[in-house]
Amino acid sequence: MNTLIQDCINSKFSKTPIWLMRQAGRYLPEFRSIREKNQDFIELCLNTKLSSEITIQPINRFGFDAAIIFSDILLVPYALGQQVNFKKNFGPDLNKFDLNILNDVKKEDFLEKLNPVYETVKETKKKLSISNKDTIGFVGAPWTLLLYMLNRKSPKEGNFTIFPKDKYINSILMKLDQFLKIHIEAQIRSGASIIQIFDSWAGLLPEKDLDYFVYKPIKSLVDFIRQRKTISICFPRNINSYKKFVDYVNPDIISIDYNVDPSIIRDTIEIPVQGGLDPKILLQNKEIVRNEVTKYLKTFDKKRYIFNLGHGVLPETNPDMIRYLVDEVRSFNGQ
Ligand code: 1CP
């Protein structure tokens, strides 16, 4: 039997599928209670028992149509030999990047370090097996990873520089392409039915650099995923033209942010669309939530649409509002 997302892609409309970016995370008290006892975030991601439990928490509570694996995009730099720490009220803090270390990484060692993630995919798949839901694996896109690896912290305060397209940068991008494919393949083999590619910082680049840093590297991953008969979702957050991205990269599903007008997306893009709702809306009252949810559902009515947000669920979100959101999306379809 197909999942709702597969049906949606094949234009078999029954219900609008719904899942949320960062659905497994800090807004859930059941996550926070595990997190308090596990101070090392990377270690928590590599604890299969706890990670698979966290992955399933939002499914048990809200009945989402897909589970995204509890892990992080920065586990790849970690497995490539760069130390990563998550500091309270600061975010990720990475050690100095060293190309010589990266060049020495062996496939077997990389796979061994990340093996608990693949076990989490298997465990999640097992837990979902009777419920016919998708298991979503993911990677950070090469540009977003390159930025964290060289900037060594979040670029969100604007403190970063765009790199030259020289031999040095090119060799890092080539290595990322190679190891991201290894990571994608292992997640698919372990049971991931969808791979989402997060290019969270694509919007920081000027138009002229998108081809080199965003379109080409992501297309290489999307083609690889397609060859393995697996669904790809791309989230090139805040880029100016989703149309240009889709025309070049051609993923199965495009995930949009909240700054873009959804009716323009609907009128210019043919492939299935995911997301859009501003996560800050979920901090408002129910009437505002209902109006915004209805706006997205009506805009994409009779189109292939997967309900999601325009970025991750905020930690301060009340879980009752997520319950309300899910009920609203379900009832729009008449169930
Ligand atoms: O308790 C904590 O402090 C940890 C918070 C946390 C969580 C719950 C981080 C740290 N990562 C995650 C899980 C996570 N991250 C998931 C799986 C759970 C789910 O989605 O339900 C996923 C898919 C990610 C992906 C991720 N990590 C992205 C891409 C999506 C996005 O938000 O744009 C990025 C950029 C990261 C890096 C990251 N991980 C964590 C932090 C604080 C950051 C930095 C964000 C920044 O630079 O502002």
Side-chain angles (χ1 to χ4, degrees):
M1 209 172 122
N2 284 340
T3 64
L4 277 191
I5 295 179
Q6 286 161 345
D7 274 350
C8 170
I9 290 178
N10 296 324
S11 302
K12 282 188 206 136
F13 300 111
S14 47
K15 296 194 263 184
T16 300
I18 174 171
W19 70 279
L20 304 180
M21 289 187 265
R22 294 285 175 104
Q23 64 188 21
R26 287 176 291 181
Y27 73 106
L28 281 181
E30 56 267 41
F31 168 74
R32 284 202 302 270
S33 88
I34 294 181
R35 179 75 170 107
E36 269 163 27
K37 295 178 222 123
N38 295 271
Q39 290 298 315
D40 187 323
F41 182 71
I42 297 264
E43 230 170 67
L44 179 57
C45 292
L46 295 175
N47 180 327
T48 291
K49 188 177 170 295
L50 292 178
S51 287
S52 59
E53 188 182 326
I54 295 168
T55 302
I56 295 294
Q57 284 175 346
I59 313 297
N60 290 342
R61 220 192 228 253
F62 305 112
F64 289 122
D65 297 307
I68 183 155
I69 296 302
F70 180 78
S71 170
D72 199 88
I73 62 166
L74 298 178
L75 284 195
V76 165
Y78 156 80
L80 292 175
Q82 193 174 6
Q83 258 189 45
V84 183
N85 289 303
F86 287 87
K87 288 204 237 160
K88 248 201 174 116
N89 306 321
F90 178 80
D93 174 31
L94 287 81
N95 264 20
K96 201 169 163 17
F97 172 75
D98 183 341
L99 184 57
N100 293 322
I101 294 180
L102 177 59
N103 280 334
D104 281 346
V105 178
K106 307 266 178 303
K107 179 179 177 178
E108 305 72 54
D109 297 335
F110 177 86
L111 283 171
E112 195 181 308
K113 270 188 162 170
L114 294 183
N115 192 52
V117 176
Y118 312 132
E119 291 301 319
T120 301
V121 179
K122 283 185 200 159
E123 204 50 44
T124 303
K125 185 90 178 167
K126 233 190 272 169
K127 291 184 183 175
L128 291 178
S129 62
I130 44 162
S131 59
N132 199 38
K133 294 177 189 293
D134 280 293
T135 302
I136 305 181
F138 66 87
V139 292
W143 158 248
T144 286
L145 290 182
L146 179 76
L147 195 50
Y148 280 110
M149 287 160 79
L150 296 185
N151 201 48
R152 299 170 54 199
K153 59 180 183 309
S154 175
K156 69 180 164 197
E157 314 294 348
N159 45 8
F160 74 99
T161 43
I162 292 174
F163 318 112
K165 298 173 196 135
D166 59 14
K167 234 175 113 183
Y168 175 73
I169 294 297
N170 198 53
S171 54
I172 306 173
L173 285 174
M174 290 295 105
K175 280 282 167 192
L176 283 172
D177 181 71
Q178 179 193 341
F179 281 100
L180 287 173
K181 284 173 178 167
I182 292 169
H183 192 40
I184 287 170
E185 171 131 64
Q187 293 182 75
I188 293 174
R189 282 219 181 122
S190 306
S193 52
I194 297 178
I195 298 291
Q196 173 143 333
I197 302 171
F198 287 98
D199 213 349
S200 303
W201 300 109
L204 294 178
L205 287 163
E207 195 71 28
K208 66 172 178 41
D209 289 331
L210 287 176
D211 199 53
Y212 179 84
F213 286 112
V214 173
Y215 300 162
K216 285 198 171 107
I218 297 187
K219 184 169 170 41
S220 170
L221 302 181
V222 163
D223 290 347
F224 181 84
I225 297 165
R226 183 161 288 134
Q227 283 159 13
R228 280 148 192 80
K229 307 209 181 325
T230 302
I231 295 168
S232 62
I233 306 179
C234 288
F235 180 46
R237 189 168 73 93
N238 281 351
I239 51 161
N240 266 329
S241 174
Y242 279 94
K243 164 125 182 76
K244 276 192 198 152
F245 179 91
V246 166
D247 285 348
Y248 191 102
V249 176
N250 189 28
D252 292 315
I253 299 168
I254 184 78
S255 199
I256 58 171
D257 65 79
Y258 52 84
N259 292 315
V260 61
D261 179 346
S263 60
I264 294 179
I265 297 290
R266 176 200 57 206
D267 295 341
T268 55
I269 287 181
E270 300 276 327
I271 68 167
V273 175
Q274 169 179 283
L277 184 88
D278 187 342
K280 289 192 285 302
I281 295 289
L282 298 174
L283 308 178
Q284 310 278 330
N285 64 41
K286 286 185 176 172
E287 198 186 333
I288 296 176
V289 171
R290 173 194 271 166
N291 287 341
E292 277 296 302
V293 168
T294 309
K295 180 182 96 182
Y296 278 93
L297 290 172
K298 281 201 166 142
T299 301
F300 291 102
D301 198 21
K302 312 278 183 308
K303 293 276 181 185
R304 296 179 292 175
Y305 182 63
I306 296 154
F307 199 92
N308 204 320
L309 307 179
H311 202 185
V313 180
L314 296 165
E316 57 269 41
T317 310
N318 185 338
D320 292 345
M321 199 53 104
I322 304 286
R323 174 79 268 156
Y324 180 75
L325 168 77
V326 174
D327 291 346
E328 282 300 304
V329 173
R330 298 277 192 232
S331 70
F332 184 84
N333 298 285
Q335 297 110 46

